[in-house]
């Protein structure tokens, strides 16, 4: 783990199966590892470093290859299983144990797959609106439905005014949060976005992913933003006996819309 500063939390580089993974790190016991979604980065979870709910605990918020400051290696395909191998290697090589693994959206899919190989290192798994089944309404599904050339046009348009894209994704549009996450879309590429969306669609269409979620031990917590707690998928998850938590007053970006409630759920995940 290579540090770039000596503050209470640091920007670090983690070795993960030959990939240099950028992460925001605060050392401490019972670490919480945050994994971002499509178009995002560790910046979406930087607030975790200062949240009282997580005081005294280790924090690792990483950038998946192709996003944030983590460069993808040559020939990288941006599949969920590739990303899961990198995530698992980062946790193993850093020697982390008693981990609470928190994945948001695509990052939840990656975290669930990675948890299979991490065995006793993971004490708790929090899936914040992870993509586990096919849903044509999802943004990733709309990206995967068009060609890469067609998506490049949309991507370039978003990158010209990233602050508009950032505000449109949030219910509670705090200026500091918008300023923090707006650059994230410009730190990835159309190729990484499109390839990720295409593979995410393929994984979500396969029933094994949802079956893995139901069978995973310890039992994950699936977290919905209140805006989505009446969806068909929410009813399905509840009917199947999964642990469910709701973040009040929030949509998909619950860690930004209502950070207090979100991080309280994270903090109590292993209780």
């Amino acid at each position: 783990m290579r540090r770039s500063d000596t503050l209470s939390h640091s920007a670090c580089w983690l070795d993960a199966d030959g990939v240099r993974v950028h992460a925001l790190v605060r050392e401490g016991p019972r670490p919480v590892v945050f994994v971002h979604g499509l178009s995002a980065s560790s910046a979406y979870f930087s607030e975790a470093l200062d949240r009282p709910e997580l005081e005294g605990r280790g924090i690792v918020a990483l950038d998946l290859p192709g996003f944030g400051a983590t460069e993808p290696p040559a020939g990288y395909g941006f599949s969920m299983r590739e990303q899961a191998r990198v995530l698992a290697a980062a946790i193993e090589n850093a020697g982390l144990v008693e981990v609470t693994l928190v994945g948001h959206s695509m990052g939840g899919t990656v975290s669930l797959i990675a948890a299979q190989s991490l065995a006793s290192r993971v004490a708790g798994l929090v899936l914040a609106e992870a993509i586990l089944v096919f849903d044509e309404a999802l943004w990733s599904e709309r990206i995967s439905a068009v060609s890469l050339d067609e998506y490049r046009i949309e991507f370039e348009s978003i990158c010209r005014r990233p602050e508009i894209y950032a505000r449109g994704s949030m219910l509670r549009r705090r200026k500091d949060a918008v300023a923090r996450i707006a650059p994230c879309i410009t730190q990835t590429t159309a190729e990484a976005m499109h390839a990720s969306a295409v593979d995410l669609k393929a994984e979500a269409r396969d029933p094994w992913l949802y079956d893995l979620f139901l069978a995973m031990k310890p039992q994950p917590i699936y977290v919905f933003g209140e805006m989505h707690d009446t969806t068909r998928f929410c009813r399905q998850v509840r009917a199947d006996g999964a642990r469910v938590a709701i973040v009040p007053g929030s949509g998909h970006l619950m860690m930004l819309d209502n950070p207090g409630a979100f991080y309280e759920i994270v903090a109590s995940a292993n209780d």
Side-chain angles (χ1 to χ4, degrees):
M1 186 184 298
R2 294 181 56 194
R3 293 186 177 280
S4 62
D5 61 55
T6 56
L7 300 176
S8 60
H9 59 267
S10 307
C12 295
W13 295 96
L14 309 177
D15 176 47
D17 199 24
V19 180
R20 292 180 72 246
V21 174
H22 175 263
L24 303 176
V25 174
R26 182 180 73 201
E27 294 186 5
R30 301 171 58 227
V32 184
V33 177
F34 292 97
V35 187
H36 64 81
L38 192 64
S39 84
S41 79
S42 56
Y44 277 62
F45 295 107
S46 60
E47 197 168 355
L49 295 156
D50 300 313
R51 292 300 311 182
E53 297 86 357
L54 299 177
E55 185 177 0
R57 297 182 63 174
I59 301 290
V60 178
L62 54 78
D63 295 340
L64 294 171
F67 300 88
T70 301
E71 292 290 335
Y76 199 72
F78 305 103
S79 73
M80 301 303 101
R81 299 190 193 208
E82 283 175 298
Q83 300 283 32
R85 285 194 294 271
V86 170
L87 171 60
I91 290 173
E92 289 171 349
N93 292 347
L96 302 181
V97 295
E98 295 186 84
V99 171
T100 298
L101 185 54
V102 182
H104 176 249
S105 197
M106 180 187 81
T109 311
V110 171
S111 296
L112 177 63
I113 297 171
Q116 292 181 99
S117 63
L118 289 168
S120 60
R121 290 184 183 274
V122 175
L125 180 59
V126 179
L127 304 177
E129 296 199 352
I131 299 171
L132 304 179
V133 298
F134 173 74
D135 183 347
E136 63 184 11
L138 295 173
W139 184 44
S140 57
E141 299 291 353
R142 298 199 298 272
I143 294 172
S144 68
V146 301
S147 69
L148 174 57
D149 286 341
E150 290 174 301
Y151 178 64
R152 279 197 185 99
I153 297 171
E154 177 185 344
F155 181 79
E156 290 168 2
S157 176
I158 292 172
C159 288
R160 282 194 289 270
R161 295 296 302 275
E163 71 283 356
I164 294 176
Y165 164 73
R167 285 198 299 269
S169 303
M170 301 165 63
L171 289 185
R172 182 185 172 201
R173 296 168 182 173
R174 295 180 293 144
K175 289 183 178 180
D176 62 321
V178 171
R180 188 168 71 248
I181 72 166
C184 295
I185 187 70
T186 68
Q187 295 168 341
T188 185
T189 64
E191 289 76 12
M193 291 283 293
H194 190 266
S196 297
V198 169
D199 188 75
L200 190 54
K201 178 178 182 176
E203 293 287 9
R205 282 183 176 274
D206 191 328
W208 86 273
L209 189 63
Y210 187 68
D211 290 344
L212 175 63
F213 163 67
L214 293 178
M216 182 64 65
K217 301 297 180 186
Q219 188 179 30
I221 300 176
Y222 195 98
V223 185
F224 289 92
E226 185 180 24
M227 183 178 175
H228 300 145
D229 69 350
T230 58
T231 61
R232 181 175 60 184
F233 183 62
C234 186
R235 292 193 295 272
Q236 177 184 347
V237 169
R238 289 184 184 277
D240 287 335
R243 297 170 68 193
V244 172
I246 306 296
V247 178
S250 71
H252 189 56
L253 297 185
M254 57 197 77
M255 76 293 289
L256 304 175
D257 289 332
N258 189 346
F262 174 74
Y263 288 114
E264 182 58 40
I265 291 169
V266 170
S268 62
N270 304 359
D271 294 348

